[in-house]
Amino acid sequence: INDKKVDQIATNIEVFSIVLANVRDEGGLASPSIATITIIDDESRVQFDTNSYSIYEGSGAVNLNLIRDRNLNQTVTNVLYYRDVSAFNGPDYLPTGSQVVFTNGQTSAQVLINLVNDTLLESNKTFEVSIATLTNAVGGVIGEVAIGPVPFVTVEILDDDSAVSLPQSDTQISELASAVTYPITRIGATNLPMAVDLIAIAGTNLPATVGVDYSDFAQTIFFGANQTSNSVTIQILDDGLVEGNETFTIGLANFSA
């Protein structure tokens, strides 16, 4: 018995019965009249343990897990195929190899893929890894090695970069006002805490003077995990002098996560 097909049923055995019936003439049925035949599957079957992985790009690498069942008494070589979807081989991920070998008795193996941790604010990206071919130690015979029902996996690379910004418009305020408050907005990945320095930059025409026209607001602004907004309040000082309009600039620097 050899069906030469790739079975996809999650069992190592198949069963059928031979039954004697409809005896003619004067004969009769003796016991037993039923014979049960059990076919033990001799294929090595390989597949991924899941059809999807999600991992942050800053994790460094992802390990995909291949599993083997049924016949473990042979060496099986798996050739893998990588397909770019929105992530690209090289700029986003770096495979460490295209072959995985199961030795006799081995039931699992890992596929290591390095991730490229860039600093770009971008969407999550995906690529696929599939089992292209399987062969045993003697070159493979149809029916001896089989790809299971999870033949490929989709890997999603989660972007872990974020950015902070101030309002784009310029602000005019009377020196008689006591203070002005600026919102600071965080976009992109917000799952981790981060910090950014707030600095004062003197204006080009009639620059305002720190400590005379406005209070020193230089500080580090902290964002907690999942926090997307913060603010800074700057005290405006009335120096009592007759003078033209003065300017200063609020800057962001030294982003750190």
Side-chain angles (χ1 to χ4, degrees):
I1 297 173
N2 189 356
D3 59 11
K4 301 293 185 182
K5 71 178 182 178
V6 175
D7 295 322
Q8 298 289 335
I9 303 172
T11 178
N12 288 332
I13 61 173
E14 296 172 300
V15 177
F16 70 96
S17 297
I18 300 174
V19 181
L20 299 176
N22 302 323
V23 178
R24 291 169 177 79
D25 298 329
E26 297 180 358
L29 290 175
S31 181
S33 60
I34 299 176
T36 299
I37 309 300
T38 300
I39 304 173
I40 300 176
D41 197 347
D42 62 354
E43 296 168 344
S44 281
R45 186 176 67 170
V46 179
Q47 61 187 316
F48 288 99
D49 65 342
T50 182
N51 58 14
S52 65
Y53 283 79
S54 292
I55 190 166
Y56 283 103
E57 66 178 10
S59 301
V62 58
N63 264 308
L64 310 182
N65 196 38
L66 284 168
I67 55 176
R68 179 171 72 150
D69 61 2
R70 299 183 174 178
N71 181 8
L72 306 180
N73 297 319
Q74 59 178 327
T75 297
V76 175
T77 300
N78 307 263
V79 177
L80 303 175
Y81 172 71
Y82 297 85
R83 188 177 82 88
D84 297 342
V85 182
S86 54
F88 295 95
N89 191 335
D92 299 308
Y93 69 95
L94 299 167
T96 58
S98 60
Q99 287 192 351
V100 177
V101 177
F102 284 86
T103 58
N104 285 358
Q106 185 178 351
T107 59
S108 66
Q110 281 68 49
V111 181
L112 176 66
I113 303 171
N114 292 318
L115 303 177
V116 179
N117 186 21
D118 58 35
T119 58
L120 301 176
L121 192 63
E122 55 194 350
S123 301
N124 298 336
K125 299 179 180 181
T126 60
F127 65 94
E128 293 177 352
V129 185
S130 60
I131 303 172
T133 59
L134 292 176
T135 55
N136 60 18
V138 293
V141 177
I142 295 175
E144 289 189 358
V145 290
I147 299 175
V150 189
F152 73 93
V153 59
T154 299
V155 180
E156 182 182 28
I157 304 174
L158 305 176
D159 186 45
D160 55 7
D161 299 308
S162 62
V164 291
S165 64
L166 292 163
Q168 292 183 351
S169 60
D170 295 336
T171 300
Q172 292 184 338
I173 188 170
S174 170
E175 67 178 3
L176 295 177
S178 60
V180 60
T181 298
Y182 276 94
I184 304 173
T185 303
R186 181 187 186 190
I187 58 175
T190 60
N191 58 299
L192 297 175
M194 57 80 59
V196 64
D197 290 340
L198 204 63
I199 60 174
I201 303 172
T204 54
N205 296 321
L206 290 176
T209 303
V210 63
V212 176
D213 300 303
Y214 62 94
S215 62
D216 185 4
F217 59 84
Q219 59 184 287
T220 299
I221 301 295
F222 295 95
F223 286 81
N226 301 316
Q227 183 180 355
T228 59
S229 63
N230 211 323
S231 64
V232 58
T233 298
I234 303 170
Q235 303 298 320
I236 304 300
L237 307 177
D238 183 6
D239 58 14
L241 301 176
V242 178
E243 54 193 349
N245 295 334
E246 299 167 306
T247 62
F248 67 94
T249 299
I250 305 170
L252 298 173
N254 304 324
F255 176 94
S256 62

